[in-house]
Amino acid sequence: MVFPSQPLDGFDTPIKLRQFIQSLNECVSARSAIEVEVDPTYSEGDNNGGRWFKDAATGRVWRLIESSPGFDGVWEEVYIA
């Protein structure tokens, strides 16, 4: 399973979000990703929290914030100092 390393600005449908989450879970099972603890002080824009994943191959950390009313969700890289 290949880790998704391209940012996504929203999920068109709940089905696409579920499929994306399933692919992340498969990456964790295949050890190409590691789910890591969220830094509660990190906030980019108006969004914080979500689920964080580390790409086992590159060490880069990404976060998934699921969609909610008025927000389409996001998959983006986390930049930590």
Side-chain angles (χ1 to χ4, degrees):
M1 179 57 60
V2 176
F3 186 84
S5 59
Q6 294 296 316
L8 296 172
D9 189 19
F11 299 92
D12 297 335
T13 65
I15 291 171
K16 293 222 184 238
L17 175 60
R18 284 194 303 270
Q19 290 171 337
F20 189 80
I21 291 170
Q22 179 62 34
S23 72
L24 285 174
N25 291 334
E26 290 172 6
C27 284
V28 169
S29 293
R31 297 193 172 124
S32 60
I34 303 160
E35 189 162 3
V36 297
E37 188 173 330
V38 172
D39 178 349
T41 65
Y42 183 87
S43 178
E44 180 67 29
D46 293 331
N47 303 311
N48 56 19
R51 292 174 65 191
W52 289 23
F53 297 86
K54 184 176 188 176
D55 182 339
T58 67
R60 294 165 53 193
V61 177
W62 293 73
R63 71 178 181 158
L64 170 67
I65 300 180
E66 295 186 29
S67 53
S68 60
F71 177 66
D72 292 333
V74 68
W75 173 249
E76 63 188 5
E77 189 169 0
V78 174
Y79 297 98
I80 305 170

